[in-house]
């Protein structure tokens, strides 16, 4: 079971384990905003509801330049598991500018790709192939990207997560 953690200003920070959330509540560092229906948790001093969403009692400063790390899974998810060249189902990723030519592992240089397009393109650029990208690759934005662990959301979290831009 996982819990969404909100900053004191109600902006989403992270997703933590149920156990970690309960420790924050027990130590009075957070309060429960949304509860999970079911059996309460019995502590030595009190009975606690199972937290689905908690809010911190003190504001935590978050760096404004928070950026999602580039991962294979993230690129596939960003592109909707569709090939950036032909639109078919993607199972791998491709460097738009090949690494052998100085292409970096960045959100702007990686696209989801099907095996066929990846093999045909090989060590060339889309321009050399006469191909056009279906999307302009860029770093993902929105609540589910800036909040670590929020890719699998709970329905109780939706009103606290910003809509993806």
């Amino acid at each position: 079971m996982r819990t969404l953690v909100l900053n004191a200003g109600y902006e989403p920070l992270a997703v933590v384990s149920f156990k970690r959330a309960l420790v924050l509540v027990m130590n009075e560092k957070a309060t429960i905003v949304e509860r999970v229906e079911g059996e309460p948790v019995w502590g030595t001093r009190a009975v606690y509801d199972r937290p689905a969403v908690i809010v911190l009692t003190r504001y935590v400063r978050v760096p404004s330049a928070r950026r999602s790390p580039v991962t294979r899974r993230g690129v596939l998810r960003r592109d909707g598991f569709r090939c950036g060249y032909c639109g078919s189902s993607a199972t791998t990723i491709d460097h738009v500018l090949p690494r052998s030519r100085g292409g970096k592992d960045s959100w702007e240089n990686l696209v989801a790709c099907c095996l066929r397009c990846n093999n045909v393109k090989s060590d060339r650029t889309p321009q050399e192939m006469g191909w056009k990208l279906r999307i302009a690759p860029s770093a993902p934005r929105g609540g589910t990207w800036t909040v670590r662990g929020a890719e699998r959301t709970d329905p109780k979290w939706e009103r606290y997560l910003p809509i993806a831009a």
Side-chain angles (χ1 to χ4, degrees):
M1 194 180 325
R2 301 168 334 138
T3 303
L4 176 65
V5 179
L6 304 175
N7 210 341
Y10 280 77
E11 56 271 351
L13 282 179
V15 175
V16 297
S17 70
F18 155 75
K19 209 174 183 180
R20 175 69 179 133
L22 199 55
V23 167
L24 288 168
V25 171
M26 292 171 96
N27 289 331
E28 299 178 359
K29 293 184 178 186
T31 55
I32 297 174
V33 178
E34 296 280 342
R35 293 154 175 69
V36 174
E37 300 303 321
E39 297 179 21
V41 178
W42 293 84
T44 55
R45 297 184 195 148
V47 178
Y48 299 94
D49 290 320
R50 292 182 183 270
V53 180
I54 61 173
V55 62
L56 298 177
T57 54
R58 300 183 87 194
Y59 186 80
V60 175
R61 191 180 160 295
V62 181
S64 60
R66 191 181 216 184
R67 207 177 143 121
S68 300
V70 179
T71 62
R72 176 183 175 279
R73 185 178 181 159
V75 172
L76 288 167
R77 210 176 104 220
R78 177 200 66 190
D79 296 347
F81 292 87
R82 292 277 158 218
C83 180
Y85 302 113
C86 71
S88 67
S89 181
T91 55
T92 187
I93 60 172
D94 180 61
H95 289 80
V96 178
L97 177 65
R99 286 196 309 189
S100 62
R101 298 185 183 189
K104 303 289 182 205
D105 288 337
S106 67
W107 287 110
E108 294 77 15
N109 191 46
L110 292 169
V111 291
C113 191
C114 67
L115 285 172
R116 183 182 159 279
C117 288
N118 204 348
N119 287 332
V120 170
K121 181 179 170 282
S122 186
D123 194 28
R124 294 174 280 203
T125 65
Q127 292 80 11
E128 292 171 349
M129 297 294 297
W131 292 359
K132 290 198 183 231
L133 281 169
R134 292 176 49 249
I135 56 144
S138 64
R141 284 173 272 155
T144 58
W145 289 97
T146 56
V147 180
R148 274 179 42 210
E151 54 275 352
R152 296 185 326 264
T153 63
D154 184 310
K156 293 185 181 208
W157 300 354
E158 289 176 11
R159 62 189 253 196
Y160 302 100
L161 293 174
I163 298 169

